Amino acid sequence: MTTVGRQKRKPLFVFEMANNHMGDTSHGKAIIHGLKEATAGFPEFDFAVKFQYRDLDTFIHPLFKNRADLKYVKRFQETRLSETQFLELKKEAEAVGFMSICTPFDELSVKMVAKHGYGYLKIGSCSLTDWPLLEEVATTNLPIIASTAGASWEDIDNVVSFMVHRNKDLTIMHCVAAYPTKNSDLQLNQIDLLRTRYPRLTVGYSTHEAPDNFSAVQIAIAKGARVFEKHVGLPNNRFSINEYSATPAQVREWLLAAKLAFDICGT
């Protein structure tokens, strides 16, 4: 069985851009360069920028494509990027030293992620039981990171078994699908359960708490998480930022808190 050993790699911090590029590659690049500055001076960590792919022509049902009253349809359409634009952002992220990760939300997008040569493929919580998608993911040779928000133990067991029996490099992420997540809902003890239940897998933490919460990552580290994901954005006079996305300055504070936790926990 090929899995990611807990001590095999440096801790990995994933910066989820999602649609915070706002459909504007120059803004996406500004986020990337802000993150580059924020991550300076942490040689003990690895960093990646994550994008999201949706084949919008088929992903959104024809009857709903022009529904501006539906929040996510409106958001996806307004922030749409072409294949060339996504590749431009991926190239920019890799040029400044970040690894690249992408979440595909449909089978056509899985093929695109493989074609574009990303370093990792991410399965979002909402897709954890999308078996046609998982079947397509399993045809790739990419390391896989999977979030588990809302999933039952049976569902998680099935996905882990499916991937492990196909010799996939799998990381499993504790995640809570509340945006932002209140402290009382973070349920970080779930990390203990995941590590006990899947002792040969790396366990991580996909975060949606308020971006000025720097304690949660420290607790997650103490519990053994080794991959960390946070939504990131960059407000300016054109674009605002949501309640669960961190600015580059907040990312730096988050990383400093993480470094302190690793120093305190020791080897």
Side-chain angles (χ1 to χ4, degrees), residues 15-21 28 31-32 49-51 89 232:
F15 305 124
E16 165 67 280
M17 191 180 295
N19 298 88
N20 284 341
H21 49 69
I31 295 173
I32 289 167
V49 173
K50 187 167 86 66
F51 304 98
L89 289 179
V232 296

Side-chain angles (χ1 to χ4, degrees), residues 139-157:
T139 67
T140 76
N141 293 319
L142 294 174
I144 298 163
I145 300 172
S147 283
T148 60
S152 67
W153 283 116
E154 181 180 8
D155 288 338
I156 301 171
D157 284 346

Side-chain angles (χ1 to χ4, degrees), residues 44-148:
E44 59 275 86
F45 298 155
D46 281 334
F47 301 107
V49 173
K50 187 167 86 66
F51 304 98
Q52 295 183 0
Y53 281 8
R54 296 172 181 85
D55 186 71
L56 292 179
D57 292 336
T58 57
F59 186 77
I60 301 174
H61 192 281
L63 295 178
F64 293 87
K65 285 186 177 179
N66 298 313
R67 290 285 299 275
D69 60 317
L70 297 176
K71 174 183 176 181
Y72 294 108
V73 172
K74 182 175 184 292
R75 171 76 163 169
F76 296 156
Q77 294 284 31
E78 289 180 347
T79 60
R80 183 174 188 143
L81 291 176
S82 68
E83 179 179 355
T84 300
Q85 288 173 311
F86 270 121
L87 282 171
E88 186 178 345
L89 289 179
K90 175 181 179 289
K91 181 179 178 181
E92 191 76 15
E94 292 173 341
V96 302
F98 291 131
M99 291 185 281
S100 62
I101 300 178
C102 192
T103 300
F105 287 89
D106 52 80
E107 293 91 311
L108 289 174
S109 293
V110 174
K111 295 179 186 297
M112 194 68 71
V113 170
K115 173 185 172 184
H116 289 173
Y118 278 87
Y120 289 79
L121 188 150
K122 170 73 190 296
I123 300 169
S125 294
C126 63
S127 301
L128 192 70
T129 56
D130 183 345
W131 285 100
L133 180 75
L134 297 181
E135 290 276 2
E136 189 65 41
V137 167
T139 67
T140 76
N141 293 319
L142 294 174
I144 298 163
I145 300 172
S147 283
T148 60

Side-chain angles (χ1 to χ4, degrees), residues 144-188:
I144 298 163
I145 300 172
S147 283
T148 60
S152 67
W153 283 116
E154 181 180 8
D155 288 338
I156 301 171
D157 284 346
N158 287 339
V159 172
V160 169
S161 178
F162 177 81
M163 293 300 178
V164 166
H165 280 87
R166 284 155 182 78
N167 214 32
K168 298 302 177 182
D169 183 337
L170 178 65
T171 296
I172 204 84
M173 305 284 277
H174 168 55
C175 181
V176 178
Y179 305 81
T181 312
K182 297 184 296 184
N183 285 343
S184 57
D185 292 333
L186 288 175
Q187 297 296 310
L188 294 180

